[in-house]
Each structure stands twice: as C-alpha cells, then as structure tokens.
Amino acid sequence: ETLYLYTGTNYSVFMNHNEANKEEIEQSFREQAKLGKIDMKATGRRFTLFDTSIYKLFNEDLILGESKMESVNYVYKEPEVLIDWKITEEQKEFNRYAVQKATTSFAGRDYEAWFTMEIPISDGPYIFHGLSGLIVELYDTEQHYHFELEGLKKLETPRIFKLDTSKVLDKSEYKEIKEKIHKNKATLLYQRTAHLERIDPTGKKLSEAEVRRRLKKGAEREINALELE
C-alpha cells in the first residue's frame, strides 16, 4: 500500500493514504451522500493495515501515535525510540541515489535499511530515523515488511497537522485497547455470519473451528504485528 511521510524541522508524520487524503475523501463522501448512493471505492478510500499515524516530535524527544477505532480517536505517547544503528560499508544504487546500508533490531525484528546522504533528512518510515540521510528502503530480515521510497517532493505550502492531546494514553494501555477491540471485532463478525456456509477459494467447505481460527488470525494481524514485543 502507499504510505506518506511528511517531514520537517520540528516533527514528522507517517500515515496511510486515507489520513493523508482525509479532506478529499470526506468531501467525496459528502457529495455522494447527497446523491443517495455511496461507492466507497470512488471516494478514494483504500484498505490499510497501517491504521496508526506516527508523530515524531524531534524537539521534545517524543513519539505520539494516533488511531481511530470503533469511532473513538486514541492517542498514545512514548519516549523517542533511539535506534541503535550499525552502519556498514556496503553500498548500492537505489532509484538513482547512492545509498549505504545500516542494520538494527527493533521490537523483536531485525532490520536492514538503505539511506542516502544525497537527501540530508534524518528520517524514515514508521519510527525509524537517526541516520545521516533519508531512509529510502527498509525491510525486516524475514521480509514480512518492506518499505521503498516511491517519490519525493517539496510542498509549496507546508502541511500543518493538529493532534488532540487532551487525553493521551501510555503505549501499553493503547495496545491493550487495540487488542481487545480487534478480538471483539472477530467475534462479532463470526456471530453475525454464523448462519452462512463458508467456502474457501478451492471450493472446500470450512468447519466452524477453521472459520474461528481464520478470523482470530486476521484480528491478530491487524493489531500491528510489525512490533512483536
């Protein structure tokens, strides 16, 4: 999926397509609602597994995460994650940029990153930052997650992001709420469709136990498996 990193001197924001284009999507939704028929695909809204926007507050050494779940907006905070990078001598070319390799471990996964000093921005996807250039490629060694820079442009008018911090949770509290919501969602989905016969892509009828297992696995995947610890 396409993700966006808005980065500046004081802070940066990493978010999904829907959040980056929120105003346009909401406007399209309102226009379709007036016509009495809503096509979610036509609004520009896309499916995403990255439902948390990450704010890196460089001047405050702080990270904030924001996510809307069950129509409620949740914000958590944690101290800035200081990435322990190991910079290697390995180099290559990525999209015409000369890049250098660095490695690190974070939240139960080992990562390899490629950064370029041709773009002197010490930032990157998700919480990753701290190298002497922009991270243009990042992946865990098991290749479960792989980020690649598609494009870069300077905004003529800087975007201003406003975050409601009137009620901020610790990250542990946020994770508990998120896990509970996703597990409940899987249970409710099963209850609402219990009367339906489930058939997999091969035409095989799924047992009740298999349906529950698949729903549980889907809910676990949505919790944010990028962080295993």
Side-chain angles (χ1 to χ4, degrees), residues 21-55:
N21 300 279
K22 187 175 182 179
E23 292 183 4
E24 293 86 347
I25 291 173
E26 289 180 349
Q27 178 61 29
S28 178
F29 186 92
R30 287 191 293 268
E31 291 174 356
Q32 290 192 46
K34 290 179 182 178
L35 299 175
K37 183 179 180 181
I38 296 176
D39 180 349
M40 292 304 294
K41 186 176 181 181
T43 65
R45 188 172 180 82
R46 300 178 185 175
F47 173 76
T48 179
L49 286 174
F50 283 84
D51 59 357
T52 302
S53 298
I54 300 295
Y55 292 72

PDB file of all heavy atoms in Angstrom, residues 21-55:
ATOM      1  N   ASN A  21      -5.067  11.889   2.695  1.00  0.00           N
ATOM      2  CA  ASN A  21      -6.045  12.485   1.775  1.00  0.00           C
ATOM      3  C   ASN A  21      -7.418  12.604   2.429  1.00  0.00           C
ATOM      4  O   ASN A  21      -8.449  12.538   1.754  1.00  0.00           O
ATOM      5  CB  ASN A  21      -6.137  11.633   0.498  1.00  0.00           C
ATOM      6  CG  ASN A  21      -4.814  11.539  -0.231  1.00  0.00           C
ATOM      7  OD1 ASN A  21      -4.435  12.442  -0.969  1.00  0.00           O
ATOM      8  ND2 ASN A  21      -4.093  10.451  -0.016  1.00  0.00           N
ATOM      9  N   LYS A  22      -7.429  12.804   3.729  1.00  0.00           N
ATOM     10  CA  LYS A  22      -8.652  12.791   4.526  1.00  0.00           C
ATOM     11  C   LYS A  22      -9.686  13.800   4.041  1.00  0.00           C
ATOM     12  O   LYS A  22     -10.864  13.477   3.871  1.00  0.00           O
ATOM     13  CB  LYS A  22      -8.307  13.057   5.989  1.00  0.00           C
ATOM     14  CG  LYS A  22      -9.458  12.908   6.945  1.00  0.00           C
ATOM     15  CD  LYS A  22      -8.961  13.068   8.377  1.00  0.00           C
ATOM     16  CE  LYS A  22     -10.093  12.872   9.375  1.00  0.00           C
ATOM     17  NZ  LYS A  22      -9.586  13.001  10.780  1.00  0.00           N
ATOM     18  N   GLU A  23      -9.271  15.031   3.801  1.00  0.00           N
ATOM     19  CA  GLU A  23     -10.221  16.075   3.402  1.00  0.00           C
ATOM     20  C   GLU A  23     -10.868  15.756   2.060  1.00  0.00           C
ATOM     21  O   GLU A  23     -12.083  15.930   1.891  1.00  0.00           O
ATOM     22  CB  GLU A  23      -9.513  17.430   3.345  1.00  0.00           C
ATOM     23  CG  GLU A  23      -9.068  17.946   4.705  1.00  0.00           C
ATOM     24  CD  GLU A  23      -8.439  19.316   4.624  1.00  0.00           C
ATOM     25  OE1 GLU A  23      -8.408  19.902   3.513  1.00  0.00           O
ATOM     26  OE2 GLU A  23      -7.968  19.811   5.661  1.00  0.00           O
ATOM     27  N   GLU A  24     -10.081  15.311   1.098  1.00  0.00           N
ATOM     28  CA  GLU A  24     -10.617  14.989  -0.224  1.00  0.00           C
ATOM     29  C   GLU A  24     -11.600  13.817  -0.155  1.00  0.00           C
ATOM     30  O   GLU A  24     -12.647  13.823  -0.816  1.00  0.00           O
ATOM     31  CB  GLU A  24      -9.484  14.653  -1.197  1.00  0.00           C
ATOM     32  CG  GLU A  24      -8.573  15.824  -1.525  1.00  0.00           C
ATOM     33  CD  GLU A  24      -7.449  16.004  -0.512  1.00  0.00           C
ATOM     34  OE1 GLU A  24      -7.520  15.368   0.571  1.00  0.00           O
ATOM     35  OE2 GLU A  24      -6.510  16.764  -0.808  1.00  0.00           O
ATOM     36  N   ILE A  25     -11.244  12.800   0.651  1.00  0.00           N
ATOM     37  CA  ILE A  25     -12.111  11.623   0.787  1.00  0.00           C
ATOM     38  C   ILE A  25     -13.434  12.002   1.449  1.00  0.00           C
ATOM     39  O   ILE A  25     -14.509  11.581   1.009  1.00  0.00           O
ATOM     40  CB  ILE A  25     -11.393  10.516   1.591  1.00  0.00           C
ATOM     41  CG1 ILE A  25     -10.223   9.954   0.766  1.00  0.00           C
ATOM     42  CG2 ILE A  25     -12.358   9.398   1.965  1.00  0.00           C
ATOM     43  CD1 ILE A  25      -9.339   8.985   1.524  1.00  0.00           C
ATOM     44  N   GLU A  26     -13.373  12.827   2.495  1.00  0.00           N
ATOM     45  CA  GLU A  26     -14.592  13.248   3.185  1.00  0.00           C
ATOM     46  C   GLU A  26     -15.476  14.102   2.275  1.00  0.00           C
ATOM     47  O   GLU A  26     -16.704  13.985   2.303  1.00  0.00           O
ATOM     48  CB  GLU A  26     -14.230  14.023   4.453  1.00  0.00           C
ATOM     49  CG  GLU A  26     -13.635  13.132   5.541  1.00  0.00           C
ATOM     50  CD  GLU A  26     -13.280  13.903   6.796  1.00  0.00           C
ATOM     51  OE1 GLU A  26     -13.295  15.154   6.757  1.00  0.00           O
ATOM     52  OE2 GLU A  26     -12.978  13.256   7.820  1.00  0.00           O
ATOM     53  N   GLN A  27     -14.862  14.953   1.464  1.00  0.00           N
ATOM     54  CA  GLN A  27     -15.620  15.777   0.527  1.00  0.00           C
ATOM     55  C   GLN A  27     -16.333  14.910  -0.500  1.00  0.00           C
ATOM     56  O   GLN A  27     -17.507  15.125  -0.819  1.00  0.00           O
ATOM     57  CB  GLN A  27     -14.702  16.776  -0.179  1.00  0.00           C
ATOM     58  CG  GLN A  27     -15.377  17.650  -1.224  1.00  0.00           C
ATOM     59  CD  GLN A  27     -16.473  18.530  -0.650  1.00  0.00           C
ATOM     60  OE1 GLN A  27     -16.428  18.913   0.522  1.00  0.00           O
ATOM     61  NE2 GLN A  27     -17.473  18.849  -1.461  1.00  0.00           N
ATOM     62  N   SER A  28     -15.632  13.907  -1.030  1.00  0.00           N
ATOM     63  CA  SER A  28     -16.229  12.988  -1.994  1.00  0.00           C
ATOM     64  C   SER A  28     -17.374  12.207  -1.353  1.00  0.00           C
ATOM     65  O   SER A  28     -18.414  11.981  -1.986  1.00  0.00           O
ATOM     66  CB  SER A  28     -15.168  12.022  -2.527  1.00  0.00           C
ATOM     67  OG  SER A  28     -15.731  11.088  -3.422  1.00  0.00           O
ATOM     68  N   PHE A  29     -17.189  11.816  -0.103  1.00  0.00           N
ATOM     69  CA  PHE A  29     -18.227  11.085   0.629  1.00  0.00           C
ATOM     70  C   PHE A  29     -19.489  11.935   0.765  1.00  0.00           C
ATOM     71  O   PHE A  29     -20.608  11.471   0.535  1.00  0.00           O
ATOM     72  CB  PHE A  29     -17.697  10.691   2.013  1.00  0.00           C
ATOM     73  CG  PHE A  29     -18.622   9.812   2.793  1.00  0.00           C
ATOM     74  CD1 PHE A  29     -18.519   8.431   2.714  1.00  0.00           C
ATOM     75  CD2 PHE A  29     -19.596  10.356   3.612  1.00  0.00           C
ATOM     76  CE1 PHE A  29     -19.373   7.611   3.436  1.00  0.00           C
ATOM     77  CE2 PHE A  29     -20.459   9.545   4.329  1.00  0.00           C
ATOM     78  CZ  PHE A  29     -20.353   8.171   4.244  1.00  0.00           C
ATOM     79  N   ARG A  30     -19.314  13.218   1.112  1.00  0.00           N
ATOM     80  CA  ARG A  30     -20.464  14.121   1.267  1.00  0.00           C
ATOM     81  C   ARG A  30     -21.198  14.319  -0.060  1.00  0.00           C
ATOM     82  O   ARG A  30     -22.436  14.341  -0.107  1.00  0.00           O
ATOM     83  CB  ARG A  30     -20.003  15.470   1.826  1.00  0.00           C
ATOM     84  CG  ARG A  30     -19.606  15.436   3.296  1.00  0.00           C
ATOM     85  CD  ARG A  30     -19.430  16.841   3.847  1.00  0.00           C
ATOM     86  NE  ARG A  30     -18.285  17.517   3.238  1.00  0.00           N
ATOM     87  CZ  ARG A  30     -17.059  17.501   3.740  1.00  0.00           C
ATOM     88  NH1 ARG A  30     -16.809  16.826   4.867  1.00  0.00           N
ATOM     89  NH2 ARG A  30     -16.068  18.148   3.156  1.00  0.00           N
ATOM     90  N   GLU A  31     -20.430  14.467  -1.135  1.00  0.00           N
ATOM     91  CA  GLU A  31     -21.045  14.679  -2.448  1.00  0.00           C
ATOM     92  C   GLU A  31     -21.851  13.465  -2.889  1.00  0.00           C
ATOM     93  O   GLU A  31     -22.943  13.595  -3.454  1.00  0.00           O
ATOM     94  CB  GLU A  31     -19.955  14.997  -3.471  1.00  0.00           C
ATOM     95  CG  GLU A  31     -19.296  16.369  -3.259  1.00  0.00           C
ATOM     96  CD  GLU A  31     -18.138  16.607  -4.188  1.00  0.00           C
ATOM     97  OE1 GLU A  31     -17.780  15.673  -4.951  1.00  0.00           O
ATOM     98  OE2 GLU A  31     -17.576  17.725  -4.171  1.00  0.00           O
ATOM     99  N   GLN A  32     -21.315  12.267  -2.626  1.00  0.00           N
ATOM    100  CA  GLN A  32     -22.043  11.055  -2.994  1.00  0.00           C
ATOM    101  C   GLN A  32     -23.271  10.862  -2.119  1.00  0.00           C
ATOM    102  O   GLN A  32     -24.314  10.386  -2.588  1.00  0.00           O
ATOM    103  CB  GLN A  32     -21.121   9.838  -2.877  1.00  0.00           C
ATOM    104  CG  GLN A  32     -20.037   9.788  -3.942  1.00  0.00           C
ATOM    105  CD  GLN A  32     -19.350   8.444  -3.978  1.00  0.00           C
ATOM    106  OE1 GLN A  32     -19.993   7.404  -3.945  1.00  0.00           O
ATOM    107  NE2 GLN A  32     -18.022   8.463  -4.030  1.00  0.00           N
ATOM    108  N   ALA A  33     -23.149  11.251  -0.831  1.00  0.00           N
ATOM    109  CA  ALA A  33     -24.278  11.108   0.097  1.00  0.00           C
ATOM    110  C   ALA A  33     -25.463  11.944  -0.370  1.00  0.00           C
ATOM    111  O   ALA A  33     -26.628  11.547  -0.228  1.00  0.00           O
ATOM    112  CB  ALA A  33     -23.858  11.520   1.502  1.00  0.00           C
ATOM    113  N   LYS A  34     -25.195  13.108  -0.957  1.00  0.00           N
ATOM    114  CA  LYS A  34     -26.265  13.971  -1.466  1.00  0.00           C
ATOM    115  C   LYS A  34     -27.018  13.286  -2.606  1.00  0.00           C
ATOM    116  O   LYS A  34     -28.206  13.536  -2.813  1.00  0.00           O
ATOM    117  CB  LYS A  34     -25.679  15.291  -1.963  1.00  0.00           C
ATOM    118  CG  LYS A  34     -25.144  16.193  -0.853  1.00  0.00           C
ATOM    119  CD  LYS A  34     -24.557  17.465  -1.438  1.00  0.00           C
ATOM    120  CE  LYS A  34     -23.981  18.361  -0.352  1.00  0.00           C
ATOM    121  NZ  LYS A  34     -23.361  19.594  -0.925  1.00  0.00           N
ATOM    122  N   LEU A  35     -26.315  12.431  -3.339  1.00  0.00           N
ATOM    123  CA  LEU A  35     -26.924  11.725  -4.463  1.00  0.00           C
ATOM    124  C   LEU A  35     -27.635  10.457  -4.013  1.00  0.00           C
ATOM    125  O   LEU A  35     -28.284   9.779  -4.815  1.00  0.00           O
ATOM    126  CB  LEU A  35     -25.860  11.383  -5.508  1.00  0.00           C
ATOM    127  CG  LEU A  35     -25.126  12.581  -6.126  1.00  0.00           C
ATOM    128  CD1 LEU A  35     -24.019  12.095  -7.055  1.00  0.00           C
ATOM    129  CD2 LEU A  35     -26.108  13.477  -6.879  1.00  0.00           C
ATOM    130  N   GLY A  36     -27.466  10.111  -2.730  1.00  0.00           N
ATOM    131  CA  GLY A  36     -28.166   8.954  -2.176  1.00  0.00           C
ATOM    132  C   GLY A  36     -27.502   7.620  -2.426  1.00  0.00           C
ATOM    133  O   GLY A  36     -28.087   6.564  -2.160  1.00  0.00           O
ATOM    134  N   LYS A  37     -26.287   7.618  -2.916  1.00  0.00           N
ATOM    135  CA  LYS A  37     -25.578   6.368  -3.171  1.00  0.00           C
ATOM    136  C   LYS A  37     -24.091   6.582  -2.942  1.00  0.00           C
ATOM    137  O   LYS A  37     -23.504   7.523  -3.479  1.00  0.00           O
ATOM    138  CB  LYS A  37     -25.822   5.891  -4.604  1.00  0.00           C
ATOM    139  CG  LYS A  37     -25.174   4.562  -4.925  1.00  0.00           C
ATOM    140  CD  LYS A  37     -25.473   4.133  -6.353  1.00  0.00           C
ATOM    141  CE  LYS A  37     -24.822   2.790  -6.676  1.00  0.00           C
ATOM    142  NZ  LYS A  37     -25.077   2.364  -8.066  1.00  0.00           N
ATOM    143  N   ILE A  38     -23.512   5.710  -2.142  1.00  0.00           N
ATOM    144  CA  ILE A  38     -22.096   5.875  -1.802  1.00  0.00           C
ATOM    145  C   ILE A  38     -21.285   4.679  -2.289  1.00  0.00           C
ATOM    146  O   ILE A  38     -21.560   3.533  -1.928  1.00  0.00           O
ATOM    147  CB  ILE A  38     -21.912   6.046  -0.284  1.00  0.00           C
ATOM    148  CG1 ILE A  38     -22.602   7.332   0.188  1.00  0.00           C
ATOM    149  CG2 ILE A  38     -20.430   6.076   0.087  1.00  0.00           C
ATOM    150  CD1 ILE A  38     -22.557   7.540   1.677  1.00  0.00           C
ATOM    151  N   ASP A  39     -20.314   4.941  -3.109  1.00  0.00           N
ATOM    152  CA  ASP A  39     -19.363   3.939  -3.587  1.00  0.00           C
ATOM    153  C   ASP A  39     -18.043   4.237  -2.878  1.00  0.00           C
ATOM    154  O   ASP A  39     -17.352   5.201  -3.202  1.00  0.00           O
ATOM    155  CB  ASP A  39     -19.200   4.046  -5.105  1.00  0.00           C
ATOM    156  CG  ASP A  39     -18.210   3.029  -5.659  1.00  0.00           C
ATOM    157  OD1 ASP A  39     -17.504   2.381  -4.860  1.00  0.00           O
ATOM    158  OD2 ASP A  39     -18.144   2.887  -6.888  1.00  0.00           O
ATOM    159  N   MET A  40     -17.704   3.413  -1.869  1.00  0.00           N
ATOM    160  CA  MET A  40     -16.525   3.683  -1.047  1.00  0.00           C
ATOM    161  C   MET A  40     -15.250   3.727  -1.886  1.00  0.00           C
ATOM    162  O   MET A  40     -14.349   4.521  -1.628  1.00  0.00           O
ATOM    163  CB  MET A  40     -16.390   2.631   0.046  1.00  0.00           C
ATOM    164  CG  MET A  40     -17.486   2.696   1.095  1.00  0.00           C
ATOM    165  SD  MET A  40     -17.615   4.330   1.887  1.00  0.00           S
ATOM    166  CE  MET A  40     -16.052   4.420   2.748  1.00  0.00           C
ATOM    167  N   LYS A  41     -15.188   2.892  -2.908  1.00  0.00           N
ATOM    168  CA  LYS A  41     -14.005   2.894  -3.763  1.00  0.00           C
ATOM    169  C   LYS A  41     -13.874   4.217  -4.506  1.00  0.00           C
ATOM    170  O   LYS A  41     -12.781   4.760  -4.668  1.00  0.00           O
ATOM    171  CB  LYS A  41     -14.065   1.734  -4.757  1.00  0.00           C
ATOM    172  CG  LYS A  41     -12.802   1.571  -5.588  1.00  0.00           C
ATOM    173  CD  LYS A  41     -12.882   0.349  -6.484  1.00  0.00           C
ATOM    174  CE  LYS A  41     -11.600   0.179  -7.282  1.00  0.00           C
ATOM    175  NZ  LYS A  41     -11.666  -1.009  -8.177  1.00  0.00           N
ATOM    176  N   ALA A  42     -15.011   4.763  -4.936  1.00  0.00           N
ATOM    177  CA  ALA A  42     -14.995   6.019  -5.686  1.00  0.00           C
ATOM    178  C   ALA A  42     -14.624   7.207  -4.803  1.00  0.00           C
ATOM    179  O   ALA A  42     -14.200   8.246  -5.305  1.00  0.00           O
ATOM    180  CB  ALA A  42     -16.357   6.252  -6.324  1.00  0.00           C
ATOM    181  N   THR A  43     -14.769   7.076  -3.489  1.00  0.00           N
ATOM    182  CA  THR A  43     -14.391   8.173  -2.595  1.00  0.00           C
ATOM    183  C   THR A  43     -12.873   8.327  -2.517  1.00  0.00           C
ATOM    184  O   THR A  43     -12.370   9.354  -2.073  1.00  0.00           O
ATOM    185  CB  THR A  43     -14.925   7.954  -1.165  1.00  0.00           C
ATOM    186  OG1 THR A  43     -14.299   6.793  -0.593  1.00  0.00           O
ATOM    187  CG2 THR A  43     -16.430   7.786  -1.169  1.00  0.00           C
ATOM    188  N   GLY A  44     -12.149   7.293  -2.950  1.00  0.00           N
ATOM    189  CA  GLY A  44     -10.691   7.326  -2.866  1.00  0.00           C
ATOM    190  C   GLY A  44     -10.162   6.622  -1.643  1.00  0.00           C
ATOM    191  O   GLY A  44      -8.946   6.517  -1.450  1.00  0.00           O
ATOM    192  N   ARG A  45     -11.047   6.138  -0.799  1.00  0.00           N
ATOM    193  CA  ARG A  45     -10.625   5.442   0.418  1.00  0.00           C
ATOM    194  C   ARG A  45     -10.070   4.069   0.063  1.00  0.00           C
ATOM    195  O   ARG A  45     -10.613   3.367  -0.796  1.00  0.00           O
ATOM    196  CB  ARG A  45     -11.806   5.303   1.374  1.00  0.00           C
ATOM    197  CG  ARG A  45     -11.422   4.759   2.750  1.00  0.00           C
ATOM    198  CD  ARG A  45     -12.587   4.833   3.713  1.00  0.00           C
ATOM    199  NE  ARG A  45     -12.218   4.314   5.018  1.00  0.00           N
ATOM    200  CZ  ARG A  45     -11.578   5.009   5.941  1.00  0.00           C
ATOM    201  NH1 ARG A  45     -11.252   6.271   5.698  1.00  0.00           N
ATOM    202  NH2 ARG A  45     -11.267   4.476   7.103  1.00  0.00           N
ATOM    203  N   ARG A  46      -8.990   3.671   0.735  1.00  0.00           N
ATOM    204  CA  ARG A  46      -8.337   2.395   0.448  1.00  0.00           C
ATOM    205  C   ARG A  46      -8.212   1.540   1.702  1.00  0.00           C
ATOM    206  O   ARG A  46      -8.172   2.052   2.812  1.00  0.00           O
ATOM    207  CB  ARG A  46      -6.929   2.634  -0.126  1.00  0.00           C
ATOM    208  CG  ARG A  46      -6.901   3.431  -1.406  1.00  0.00           C
ATOM    209  CD  ARG A  46      -5.465   3.645  -1.857  1.00  0.00           C
ATOM    210  NE  ARG A  46      -5.382   4.511  -3.026  1.00  0.00           N
ATOM    211  CZ  ARG A  46      -4.230   4.930  -3.566  1.00  0.00           C
ATOM    212  NH1 ARG A  46      -3.072   4.564  -3.003  1.00  0.00           N
ATOM    213  NH2 ARG A  46      -4.237   5.716  -4.628  1.00  0.00           N
ATOM    214  N   PHE A  47      -8.118   0.227   1.487  1.00  0.00           N
ATOM    215  CA  PHE A  47      -7.867  -0.680   2.601  1.00  0.00           C
ATOM    216  C   PHE A  47      -6.449  -0.449   3.115  1.00  0.00           C
ATOM    217  O   PHE A  47      -5.518  -0.231   2.341  1.00  0.00           O
ATOM    218  CB  PHE A  47      -8.001  -2.136   2.146  1.00  0.00           C
ATOM    219  CG  PHE A  47      -7.590  -3.129   3.194  1.00  0.00           C
ATOM    220  CD1 PHE A  47      -8.427  -3.413   4.270  1.00  0.00           C
ATOM    221  CD2 PHE A  47      -6.348  -3.752   3.128  1.00  0.00           C
ATOM    222  CE1 PHE A  47      -8.038  -4.312   5.244  1.00  0.00           C
ATOM    223  CE2 PHE A  47      -5.951  -4.652   4.106  1.00  0.00           C
ATOM    224  CZ  PHE A  47      -6.807  -4.937   5.162  1.00  0.00           C
ATOM    225  N   THR A  48      -6.273  -0.486   4.434  1.00  0.00           N
ATOM    226  CA  THR A  48      -4.950  -0.279   5.005  1.00  0.00           C
ATOM    227  C   THR A  48      -4.711  -1.168   6.210  1.00  0.00           C
ATOM    228  O   THR A  48      -5.642  -1.473   6.966  1.00  0.00           O
ATOM    229  CB  THR A  48      -4.760   1.195   5.426  1.00  0.00           C
ATOM    230  OG1 THR A  48      -3.452   1.352   6.014  1.00  0.00           O
ATOM    231  CG2 THR A  48      -5.811   1.628   6.439  1.00  0.00           C
ATOM    232  N   LEU A  49      -3.483  -1.611   6.376  1.00  0.00           N
ATOM    233  CA  LEU A  49      -3.074  -2.331   7.578  1.00  0.00           C
ATOM    234  C   LEU A  49      -2.315  -1.407   8.529  1.00  0.00           C
ATOM    235  O   LEU A  49      -1.974  -1.796   9.637  1.00  0.00           O
ATOM    236  CB  LEU A  49      -2.190  -3.533   7.212  1.00  0.00           C
ATOM    237  CG  LEU A  49      -2.923  -4.721   6.586  1.00  0.00           C
ATOM    238  CD1 LEU A  49      -1.931  -5.794   6.140  1.00  0.00           C
ATOM    239  CD2 LEU A  49      -3.934  -5.322   7.557  1.00  0.00           C
ATOM    240  N   PHE A  50      -2.056  -0.163   8.087  1.00  0.00           N
ATOM    241  CA  PHE A  50      -1.362   0.815   8.920  1.00  0.00           C
ATOM    242  C   PHE A  50      -2.379   1.854   9.390  1.00  0.00           C
ATOM    243  O   PHE A  50      -2.530   2.910   8.795  1.00  0.00           O
ATOM    244  CB  PHE A  50      -0.221   1.471   8.144  1.00  0.00           C
ATOM    245  CG  PHE A  50       0.989   0.600   8.010  1.00  0.00           C
ATOM    246  CD1 PHE A  50       1.062  -0.338   6.999  1.00  0.00           C
ATOM    247  CD2 PHE A  50       2.032   0.691   8.918  1.00  0.00           C
ATOM    248  CE1 PHE A  50       2.167  -1.172   6.881  1.00  0.00           C
ATOM    249  CE2 PHE A  50       3.131  -0.131   8.806  1.00  0.00           C
ATOM    250  CZ  PHE A  50       3.207  -1.072   7.792  1.00  0.00           C
ATOM    251  N   ASP A  51      -3.098   1.512  10.458  1.00  0.00           N
ATOM    252  CA  ASP A  51      -4.162   2.398  10.920  1.00  0.00           C
ATOM    253  C   ASP A  51      -3.690   3.383  11.991  1.00  0.00           C
ATOM    254  O   ASP A  51      -4.493   4.142  12.526  1.00  0.00           O
ATOM    255  CB  ASP A  51      -5.338   1.587  11.450  1.00  0.00           C
ATOM    256  CG  ASP A  51      -4.965   0.660  12.599  1.00  0.00           C
ATOM    257  OD1 ASP A  51      -3.772   0.612  12.950  1.00  0.00           O
ATOM    258  OD2 ASP A  51      -5.858  -0.018  13.132  1.00  0.00           O
ATOM    259  N   THR A  52      -2.414   3.384  12.303  1.00  0.00           N
ATOM    260  CA  THR A  52      -1.878   4.308  13.306  1.00  0.00           C
ATOM    261  C   THR A  52      -0.947   5.318  12.648  1.00  0.00           C
ATOM    262  O   THR A  52       0.002   4.939  11.965  1.00  0.00           O
ATOM    263  CB  THR A  52      -1.107   3.559  14.405  1.00  0.00           C
ATOM    264  OG1 THR A  52      -1.982   2.602  15.026  1.00  0.00           O
ATOM    265  CG2 THR A  52      -0.592   4.520  15.464  1.00  0.00           C
ATOM    266  N   SER A  53      -1.233   6.599  12.853  1.00  0.00           N
ATOM    267  CA  SER A  53      -0.339   7.656  12.367  1.00  0.00           C
ATOM    268  C   SER A  53       0.739   7.892  13.418  1.00  0.00           C
ATOM    269  O   SER A  53       0.445   7.994  14.611  1.00  0.00           O
ATOM    270  CB  SER A  53      -1.120   8.953  12.123  1.00  0.00           C
ATOM    271  OG  SER A  53      -2.102   8.768  11.127  1.00  0.00           O
ATOM    272  N   ILE A  54       1.989   7.976  12.973  1.00  0.00           N
ATOM    273  CA  ILE A  54       3.121   8.132  13.885  1.00  0.00           C
ATOM    274  C   ILE A  54       3.677   9.547  13.784  1.00  0.00           C
ATOM    275  O   ILE A  54       4.075  10.003  12.713  1.00  0.00           O
ATOM    276  CB  ILE A  54       4.247   7.124  13.560  1.00  0.00           C
ATOM    277  CG1 ILE A  54       3.723   5.685  13.679  1.00  0.00           C
ATOM    278  CG2 ILE A  54       5.444   7.340  14.481  1.00  0.00           C
ATOM    279  CD1 ILE A  54       3.316   5.271  15.067  1.00  0.00           C
ATOM    280  N   TYR A  55       3.699  10.259  14.912  1.00  0.00           N
ATOM    281  CA  TYR A  55       4.258  11.608  15.004  1.00  0.00           C
ATOM    282  C   TYR A  55       5.597  11.535  15.746  1.00  0.00           C
ATOM    283  O   TYR A  55       5.640  11.093  16.898  1.00  0.00           O
ATOM    284  CB  TYR A  55       3.324  12.535  15.783  1.00  0.00           C
ATOM    285  CG  TYR A  55       2.030  12.857  15.094  1.00  0.00           C
ATOM    286  CD1 TYR A  55       1.022  11.905  14.966  1.00  0.00           C
ATOM    287  CD2 TYR A  55       1.795  14.135  14.580  1.00  0.00           C
ATOM    288  CE1 TYR A  55      -0.177  12.206  14.335  1.00  0.00           C
ATOM    289  CE2 TYR A  55       0.591  14.447  13.949  1.00  0.00           C
ATOM    290  CZ  TYR A  55      -0.382  13.474  13.834  1.00  0.00           C
ATOM    291  OH  TYR A  55      -1.567  13.772  13.212  1.00  0.00           O
TER     292      TYR A  55
END
